[in-house]
Amino acid sequence: MVPHVIGCDEAGSGPMAGPLVAAAVVWPLHGGLDGLTDSKKYSSPKKREQMAWVVCDQSLFWVVAFASAARV
């Protein structure tokens, strides 16, 4: 069995206020992605979008979930 890393994060206006978006990615432990850093440090929304497509393409598994303010 190959070890993996699972990363997750959320974005929203707070866990009690909603709406909320959460995501998780499964990556091989020894796999890397050149240029992947904190998305808030990218210079443009276009660069963030490009890196998101690369992560989705090269990860072993990914998932994104949305919850409305009413549901949260």
Side-chain angles (χ1 to χ4, degrees):
M1 177 179 223
V2 178
H4 298 91
V5 174
I6 300 172
C8 60
D9 200 3
E10 56 77 26
S13 52
M16 297 304 290
L20 183 69
V21 178
V25 176
V26 179
W27 207 268
L29 180 62
H30 300 294
L33 185 60
D34 292 336
L36 183 62
T37 62
D38 184 344
S39 66
K40 294 176 192 85
K41 295 181 181 180
Y42 290 134
S43 58
S44 70
K46 183 177 180 180
K47 178 65 175 174
R48 285 191 293 273
E49 185 176 346
Q50 289 172 340
M51 290 307 292
W53 283 108
V54 171
V55 168
C56 291
D57 184 55
Q58 295 186 18
S59 65
L60 299 173
F61 180 81
W62 60 269
V63 63
V64 177
F66 302 90
S68 68
R71 182 161 187 199
V72 172

